[in-house]
Amino acid sequence: MILIIIWEVVYKVGVDVLGVWKSYTFPEPLSVIKTLGSLISDGSLIGAILISMRRIIIGYTISLVVGLILGLLIVRFKYLDENFSALILGMQTLPSVCWLPFAILWFGLSESSIIFVTTIGSVFAISMATEAGIKNVNPIYVKAASTMGAKGLKLYFNVVIPSALPSIISGMKQGWSFAWRALIAGEMLSATKGIGQILMVGRDLADINQVASVMIVIIVLGLVIDKFIFGALEKSVRRRCGLERN
C-alpha cells in the first residue's frame, strides 16, 4: 500500500505538477489497476498465464533434467570438466534471445521454438550450480562415509548429492528466473499467445498501463512460485541439514 501511495505521488508530481513525463509514458496506479481488472474480466490474461505456465513448466523440466545430468557428467569425467566447463560458462553469459533465430529456423514459429528458448535459457545455470555444489562438498563427509563402507553410487547418491543440494537448489532458482526471461522474450518476438504477447500488444498500442499491468503479473507470479515451491524446498533441505529449527 505504501508503495502504491509513493507511486501515485511520483505520478502526480512528475506528470501533473512538473511535467517531467507525459501521461502516456508513465503509468498511473489507478489506471494500471483498471487495466489489470479489464484483462482479467475478459479472460485474456488468465488464458495467457495458463499458456505461458504450461510452456515454462515443460521447458524448465527439460532444462532441469538435462542440466542435472550435464553437471553430474562434468564432475564425474575430468575430460568433460577440462573442455566443457568454460564453454558452459560462456553459454550462460549469452542472452537467451540470441537463440531465438535458431529456434525459428529449426522449429518454425511454433510452440517448440518457445520451449527450446526457455530450456536453453536455464539449462546452463542449473548445470553450473550442480557442478559447483558437488565440487565444493566438504571432503570430510566423503572420508567419513568411506570409512563406514560407503562407496561408488551409494556414496555418490547418499552423501555427495545430498550435501550439494543447497547449491543445486540455488541454481534451480536462478535457472527458473532465466527461464522466465527467455519465455517472455520468446513470446514477444514470435508473436504467439501468452504473457509476452499481451506485453507486446501494450507496447504496439502505446498503452503503458497494459505494459505495467503485465509486468506486475510477472513479478507476482515469480514471487508466488519462489515462496511456495523453491522457498518450501529450500526450507526442507535446510531443516534436514540441521541449519533450521522445526
Side-chain angles (χ1 to χ4, degrees), residues 2-49:
I2 295 176
L3 291 176
I4 295 177
I5 294 173
I6 295 173
W7 182 3
E8 180 67 27
V9 170
V10 171
Y11 175 84
K12 292 295 183 183
V13 173
V15 176
D16 298 336
V17 179
L18 301 178
V20 178
W21 306 291
K22 300 296 182 182
S23 59
Y24 56 83
T25 62
F26 194 88
E28 182 186 12
L30 184 59
S31 299
V32 171
I33 293 172
K34 288 181 179 178
T35 301
L36 188 58
S38 176
L39 290 172
I40 294 174
S41 62
D42 64 15
S44 59
L45 183 60
I46 302 299
I49 290 174

Side-chain angles (χ1 to χ4, degrees), residues 57-168:
I57 288 172
I58 295 173
Y60 182 72
T61 301
I62 296 172
S63 69
L64 191 60
V65 173
V66 175
L68 289 172
I69 293 174
L70 186 58
L72 292 171
L73 289 175
I74 288 174
V75 176
R76 178 66 179 81
F77 298 102
K78 186 178 180 181
Y79 176 83
L80 295 178
D81 187 13
E82 293 175 346
N83 292 277
F84 287 94
S85 291
L87 178 61
I88 290 175
L89 178 60
M91 290 292 192
Q92 176 56 36
T93 61
L94 192 67
S96 303
V97 71
C98 294
W99 292 98
L100 192 61
F102 290 97
I104 293 174
L105 288 172
W106 293 341
F107 304 103
L109 291 172
S110 64
E111 193 87 353
S112 299
S113 63
I114 299 177
I115 292 174
F116 171 78
V117 173
T118 304
T119 301
I120 209 74
S122 59
V123 66
F124 300 118
I126 296 171
S127 64
M128 288 172 58
T130 303
E131 176 194 356
I134 294 175
K135 283 183 176 179
N136 292 323
V137 170
N138 195 325
I140 295 176
Y141 298 158
V142 178
K143 291 178 181 178
S146 299
T147 58
M148 291 186 287
K151 59 183 179 179
L153 292 177
K154 187 175 182 181
L155 174 65
Y156 211 70
F157 286 102
N158 291 341
V159 178
V160 176
I161 292 180
S163 299
L165 272 179
S167 177
I168 293 174

